Each structure stands twice: as structure tokens, then as C-alpha cells.
Amino acid sequence: MNLQHFLADDQLNKQQILDLIALARDIKQHPKNYQNALAGKSVAMIFEKPSLRTHVSFDIGINKLGGHALYLGQQNGKLGERERVSDYAKNLSCFADGIVARVFDNSSIEQLAHHGSVPVINALCDLYHPCQALADFVTLAENFPDLSAVKLAYVGDANNVSNSLMLMAAIIGVDFTLVCPAGHGPDMQMYEKAIKFSETSGAKLVFTTDMKALGKQDAIYTDTWISMGDNTNITDILATFKPYQVNHDVMAKSGASIVMHCQPAHLEEEITTELFDSEMSVVFQSAENRMWAQNAVLVTLLAD
Ligand code: NVA
């Protein structure tokens, strides 16, 4: 597969996404076949924001591929402050074979890819979380025999995670419904891009502020009402978002059989504890799939 970076869902085509999902599932089933895929290779991982799943799944995942992961936190100051992002990218490219970056601003990801000379993987920014979306589509493929027939709905705050899910769904032809409170809907540029993709793929794309318009679904997804870097005060949004909580009632009305969340979950806010802990929850399956999905990206970008 011809892929230079993994920066944003909208830079991938349908075949690339389907190939990555298939490769992730193969690596998950036959990890030994890939244990030397990154032998002798080092990956520098920049984290501007906190992380549990992303940090651990990349570090341990790279180890499972025989490579070496180097964690770069904020001990050297904020990205772009002590030295330009372009110089950061050029320096890392002297040593590392790849760069994984979790950043505040998407422009940092773009600069790393533009100025560095090694593949860059977006491990979350303000606009996208493509590693998460890829893992979620692996999870959907594991739970439903025909991925193209799945109906996925995201309920809550439109953010990096919903952008990535919406774009990937639109590209590969999965029906996607986005339900958000008024004023918390998708970035219009993202939404228009997704509409364009859906016109080609045949995915049905719905955006509504009305929970009653959720309709019949196979899977319901939710995420925090306040993302990292948002300055919103929780008390200011609790009342607005309360009707958008994902709970057993929402699952029953939509007929969805699984509930998804990228975590960390804010229990009793966007999702009830009871539902998060229930049999319908695939949150830990998705967490594990982060590693297999990212390993598919790493193998595609870095293996000889
Ligand atoms: N939307 C969340 C995702 C966390 C994994 C955030 O950006 O904070």
C-alpha cells in the first residue's frame, strides 16, 4: 500500500482504510508473523497532551513488532516554543525512523510531516483522532459480519473523535448519524468533506440536534463533552448535554447492540456507569484494537 504518513482520515481512500483494517486483524490473529517487522527501527513519540491508551498501545505495540519506542513528553517545553516545529521535525528525522505525535494544533502535525523526512502518525490533535477511528472500525468489523451494512451513530459533542469516525464512515460507505446539541455540532468544513465522500461511497450521512431523530442503529458511540484543550466549564454544559447522555434507554430505542467510547469516560455524564460496564460495551475491545490498528499503520509505513 502506498502510504507516506497517517495524518488525517480525509487523506486516506476507501481501499487504504479497508486494507489497514484487514492488516490489523491479521496482525491480531498472527502476531508472531510480524514480530520482526520493525527490527532495528526507532519511533519517536511526542505527547503534548496526557495519554494512557495511546502511549501504552504505541509503546507496547512497537515492541511487539521488534522496534524501539522513545517517549518525548513536555520535558523539553511546549512544541514550537524552545525551537521551531520544523527544526524539531528535522532533528528527530536524523535519529528516528518514524514520528508519532499527539498535539494541540493540527498545524503541528502538518509541519512535522512537511519538514521531517520520516513518516508521521497523528496520535490525536484538535481536529482528528484517526488511530482511534481505525481501531473502532476494526472493532465494528469484528462485531458485525458485513461492515458495509453497519449503522453507526455518534451522540454528544462533535470533536476530533467524531470527525475521524464521520470521515472514515463516509469514505468506506458506513451509514453515520451524528446527534449533537445545537451549537456543538460538527465543524462545517469537516461535515462538507464527509458529505462529498458519502456521495461517492453511498454512505447515508445524517446530522441532527434531535435525539428523537436518532433512528435505528447497530452501534452507538459517545465521547467526553469536554475535550483536552477545551476551556469549557463542565457546569455550563451539563444541562445542555444531559438529554444526549447515552444510556440503556437510548440503546433500547435505537435497537443498537453495542456501545462504544474512546475513553477516558466521564461516567454519569456522557454515558451511564451501568451501560459502560454492561455486556453491550466494547470499550476494552476497542482499546486493545488501538494497538493492532496502530501496528497495521506502523507496518504499512515503516516495514521494509
Ligand atoms: N475527544 C477527546 C478524546 C480523548 C482520547 C479529547 O480530545 O480529549
Side-chain angles (χ1 to χ4, degrees):
M1 188 194 318
N2 186 17
L3 201 61
Q4 207 187 344
H5 299 287
F6 189 75
L7 306 179
D9 314 77
D10 44 34
Q11 294 176 16
L12 301 163
N13 63 38
K14 178 174 178 173
Q15 198 53 54
Q16 287 170 330
I17 296 171
L18 295 179
D19 286 351
L20 285 168
I21 293 170
L23 181 57
R25 298 185 75 184
D26 192 58
I27 299 175
K28 184 174 183 175
Q29 273 156 25
H30 309 286
K32 284 215 161 66
N33 291 353
Y34 298 88
Q35 64 188 358
N36 294 313
L38 259 56
K41 306 246 161 128
S42 295
V43 180
M45 308 192 298
I46 305 167
F47 282 86
E48 281 195 302
K49 298 180 183 181
S51 172
L52 172 68
R53 277 151 297 278
T54 303
H55 179 185
V56 175
S57 58
F58 265 111
D59 192 317
I60 293 180
I62 289 166
N63 183 262
K64 286 194 194 300
L65 298 174
H68 158 238
L70 173 72
Y71 178 80
L72 295 164
Q74 294 300 286
Q75 69 272 30
N76 289 317
K78 200 174 152 1
L79 199 60
E81 263 177 23
R82 188 160 169 264
E83 51 195 312
R84 294 178 300 182
V85 178
S86 53
D87 294 329
Y88 207 100
K90 287 174 190 170
N91 276 280
L92 288 184
S93 301
C94 295
F95 317 111
D97 300 284
I99 298 173
V100 167
R102 166 167 287 193
V103 300
F104 280 99
D105 200 325
N106 178 250
S107 72
S108 302
I109 293 280
E110 287 180 350
Q111 286 185 67
L112 288 168
H114 182 71
H115 296 284
S117 55
V118 296
V120 174
I121 297 173
N122 183 347
L124 181 148
C125 66
D126 53 339
L127 298 181
Y128 304 98
H129 197 359
C131 292
Q132 181 66 50
L134 186 63
D136 293 324
F137 281 102
V138 171
T139 306
L140 286 167
E142 288 175 338
N143 281 278
F144 298 99
D146 179 5
L147 184 59
S148 67
V150 169
K151 292 186 183 310
L152 171 66
Y154 178 101
V155 178
D157 183 38
N159 60 17
N160 44 9
V161 171
S162 65
N163 283 342
S164 281
L165 290 168
M166 172 176 71
L167 289 163
M168 258 192 204
I171 294 167
I172 65 174
V174 167
D175 290 352
F176 186 79
T177 300
L178 184 59
V179 191
C180 314
H184 298 273
D187 173 291
M188 273 305 130
Q189 270 189 332
M190 291 286 172
Y191 187 54
E192 278 157 22
K193 274 189 212 177
I195 288 176
K196 278 224 158 62
F197 286 126
S198 69
E199 283 165 2
T200 305
S201 71
K204 188 172 168 231
L205 206 61
V206 174
F207 166 51
T208 177
T209 57
D210 182 4
M211 272 304 272
K212 288 196 215 73
L214 177 60
K216 287 289 163 212
Q217 302 294 340
D218 295 310
I220 305 275
Y221 202 114
T222 190
D223 182 19
T224 180
W225 293 338
I226 304 176
S227 286
M228 292 180 278
D230 284 3
N231 298 319
T232 330
N233 187 314
I234 184 70
T235 47
D236 295 344
I237 61 155
L238 276 180
T240 309
F241 276 83
K242 190 74 190 160
Y244 298 82
Q245 182 190 65
V246 176
N247 49 39
H248 272 101
D249 189 41
V250 171
M251 298 299 286
K253 284 194 176 124
S254 65
S257 57
I258 64 170
V259 66
M260 307 178 81
H261 193 304
C262 58
Q263 306 185 72
H266 304 79
L267 299 172
E268 301 307 325
E269 290 178 17
E270 71 270 10
I271 188 167
T272 54
T273 314
E274 200 186 9
L275 182 60
F276 185 87
D277 289 339
S278 76
E279 293 280 307
M280 281 189 266
S281 169
V282 295
V283 299
F284 299 109
Q285 186 180 348
S286 263
E288 181 187 334
N289 284 337
R290 288 292 306 277
M291 183 172 73
W292 305 117
Q294 288 156 194
N295 277 11
V297 174
L298 288 160
V299 166
T300 301
L301 293 176
L302 299 181
D304 294 325

Coordinates of all heavy atoms in Angstrom, one line a residue, residues 46-48 72-74 76-86 88-89 92 101-105 107-109 111-112:
I46 N 5.9 12.0 20.4 CA 5.8 13.3 21.0 C 4.4 13.4 21.6 O 3.4 13.2 21.0 CB 5.9 14.4 20.0 CG1 7.2 14.3 19.2 CG2 5.7 15.8 20.6 CD1 7.2 15.2 17.9
F47 N 4.3 13.7 22.9 CA 3.0 13.9 23.6 C 2.9 15.3 24.2 O 3.5 15.6 25.2 CB 2.8 12.8 24.6 CG 2.4 11.5 24.1 CD1 3.3 10.6 23.6 CD2 1.0 11.2 23.9 CE1 3.0 9.4 23.1 CE2 0.7 10.0 23.3 CZ 1.6 9.1 22.9
E48 N 2.0 16.1 23.6 CA 1.8 17.4 24.2 C 0.6 17.4 25.2 O 0.4 18.3 25.9 CB 1.3 18.4 23.1 CG 2.4 19.0 22.3 CD 1.9 20.2 21.5 OE1 1.0 20.1 20.7 OE2 2.5 21.3 21.7
L72 N 8.6 11.2 24.2 CA 9.0 12.6 24.4 C 7.9 13.3 25.0 O 6.9 13.6 24.3 CB 9.5 13.2 23.1 CG 10.7 12.6 22.4 CD1 10.8 13.0 21.0 CD2 12.0 13.0 23.2
G73 N 7.9 13.6 26.3 CA 6.8 14.4 26.9 C 7.1 15.8 26.8 O 7.7 16.3 25.8
Q74 N 6.7 16.6 27.8 CA 6.9 18.0 27.7 C 8.1 18.5 28.5 O 8.3 19.7 28.7 CB 5.7 18.7 28.3 CG 4.4 18.5 27.4 CD 4.6 19.0 26.0 OE1 4.6 20.2 25.8 NE2 4.8 18.1 25.1
N76 N 11.0 19.0 27.4 CA 11.7 20.0 26.6 C 10.9 21.2 26.2 O 11.2 22.0 25.3 CB 12.2 19.3 25.3 CG 13.3 18.3 25.6 OD1 14.2 18.6 26.4 ND2 13.3 17.2 25.0
G77 N 9.8 21.4 27.0 CA 9.0 22.6 26.7 C 7.9 22.3 25.7 O 8.0 21.2 25.0
K78 N 7.0 23.2 25.5 CA 5.9 23.0 24.5 C 6.5 23.0 23.1 O 7.4 23.7 22.8 CB 4.9 24.2 24.7 CG 3.6 23.9 24.2 CD 2.7 25.1 24.5 CE 1.5 25.3 23.5 NZ 1.4 24.4 22.4
L79 N 5.9 22.1 22.3 CA 6.3 22.0 20.9 C 6.3 23.4 20.2 O 5.3 24.1 20.3 CB 5.3 21.1 20.2 CG 5.8 20.4 18.9 CD1 7.0 19.6 19.1 CD2 4.7 19.5 18.4
G80 N 7.4 23.8 19.6 CA 7.4 25.1 18.9 C 7.9 26.2 19.8 O 8.0 27.3 19.3
E81 N 8.1 26.0 21.1 CA 8.5 27.1 21.9 C 10.0 27.2 22.1 O 10.6 28.3 21.9 CB 7.8 27.0 23.3 CG 6.6 27.9 23.4 CD 5.8 27.7 24.7 OE1 6.5 27.3 25.8 OE2 4.6 28.0 24.7
R82 N 10.6 26.1 22.4 CA 12.1 26.1 22.6 C 12.8 26.2 21.2 O 13.9 26.7 21.1 CB 12.5 24.9 23.4 CG 14.0 24.9 23.8 CD 14.2 23.9 25.0 NE 15.6 23.7 25.2 CZ 16.3 22.7 24.8 NH1 15.7 21.7 24.1 NH2 17.6 22.6 25.0
E83 N 12.2 25.5 20.3 CA 12.7 25.6 18.9 C 11.5 25.4 17.9 O 10.5 24.9 18.3 CB 13.8 24.6 18.6 CG 13.4 23.1 19.0 CD 14.7 22.2 19.1 OE1 15.5 22.2 18.1 OE2 14.8 21.5 20.1
R84 N 11.7 25.8 16.7 CA 10.6 25.7 15.8 C 10.2 24.3 15.5 O 11.1 23.4 15.6 CB 11.1 26.3 14.4 CG 11.3 27.8 14.5 CD 11.8 28.3 13.1 NE 13.0 27.6 12.7 CZ 13.7 27.9 11.5 NH1 13.2 28.9 10.7 NH2 14.8 27.3 11.2
V85 N 8.9 24.1 15.3 CA 8.5 22.7 15.0 C 9.2 22.1 13.8 O 9.6 20.9 13.8 CB 6.9 22.7 14.7 CG1 6.4 21.3 14.4 CG2 6.2 23.2 15.9
S86 N 9.5 23.0 12.8 CA 10.3 22.5 11.7 C 11.6 21.9 12.1 O 12.1 20.9 11.5 CB 10.4 23.6 10.6 OG 11.0 24.8 11.2
Y88 N 12.4 20.8 15.1 CA 12.1 19.6 15.9 C 12.0 18.4 14.9 O 12.6 17.4 15.1 CB 10.8 19.9 16.6 CG 10.6 19.1 17.9 CD1 10.8 19.7 19.1 CD2 10.2 17.8 17.9 CE1 10.6 19.0 20.3 CE2 9.9 17.1 19.1 CZ 10.2 17.7 20.3 OH 10.0 17.0 21.4
A89 N 11.2 18.6 13.8 CA 11.0 17.6 12.9 C 12.3 17.1 12.2 O 12.5 15.9 12.0 CB 10.0 18.0 11.8
L92 N 14.5 15.2 14.8 CA 14.0 13.8 15.0 C 14.3 12.9 13.8 O 14.6 11.8 14.0 CB 12.5 13.8 15.4 CG 12.1 14.4 16.7 CD1 10.6 14.2 16.9 CD2 12.9 13.7 17.9
A101 N 2.8 11.6 17.0 CA 2.6 12.9 17.7 C 1.2 13.1 18.1 O 0.2 13.0 17.3 CB 3.1 14.1 16.8
R102 N 1.0 13.4 19.4 CA -0.3 13.9 19.9 C -0.1 15.4 20.3 O 0.7 15.7 21.1 CB -0.6 13.1 21.2 CG -1.7 13.7 22.0 CD -2.3 12.9 23.1 NE -3.1 11.8 22.5 CZ -4.0 11.0 23.1 NH1 -4.1 11.2 24.4 NH2 -4.7 10.1 22.5
V103 N -0.8 16.2 19.6 CA -0.6 17.7 19.7 C -1.9 18.4 19.9 O -3.0 17.9 19.6 CB 0.1 18.2 18.4 CG1 1.5 17.5 18.2 CG2 -0.8 18.0 17.2
F104 N -1.7 19.7 20.3 CA -2.9 20.5 20.4 C -3.5 20.9 19.1 O -4.6 20.8 18.8 CB -2.6 21.8 21.3 CG -2.6 21.5 22.7 CD1 -1.4 21.2 23.4 CD2 -3.8 21.4 23.4 CE1 -1.4 20.9 24.8 CE2 -3.8 21.1 24.8 CZ -2.6 20.9 25.5
D105 N -2.5 21.4 18.2 CA -2.9 22.0 17.0 C -2.6 21.2 15.8 O -1.4 20.8 15.6 CB -2.2 23.4 16.9 CG -2.8 24.3 16.0 OD1 -3.4 23.8 15.0 OD2 -2.8 25.5 16.3
S107 N -1.9 22.0 12.9 CA -0.8 22.5 12.1 C 0.5 22.0 12.6 O 1.4 21.9 11.7 CB -0.8 24.1 12.2 OG -0.4 24.5 13.4
S108 N 0.7 21.6 13.8 CA 1.9 21.0 14.3 C 2.2 19.6 13.6 O 3.3 19.3 13.2 CB 1.9 20.7 15.8 OG 1.7 21.9 16.5
I109 N 1.1 18.9 13.4 CA 1.2 17.6 12.7 C 1.6 17.8 11.3 O 2.5 17.1 10.8 CB -0.2 16.8 12.7 CG1 -0.6 16.4 14.1 CG2 -0.2 15.7 11.7 CD1 0.1 15.1 14.6
Q111 N 3.2 20.4 10.1 CA 4.6 20.8 10.0 C 5.6 19.7 10.2 O 6.6 19.7 9.5 CB 4.8 21.9 11.0 CG 4.2 23.3 10.7 CD 4.5 24.3 11.8 OE1 5.7 24.7 11.9 NE2 3.6 24.7 12.6
L112 N 5.3 18.8 11.1 CA 6.2 17.7 11.4 C 6.3 16.9 10.1 O 7.4 16.5 9.7 CB 5.6 16.8 12.5 CG 5.7 17.4 13.9 CD1 4.9 16.5 14.9 CD2 7.2 17.4 14.4

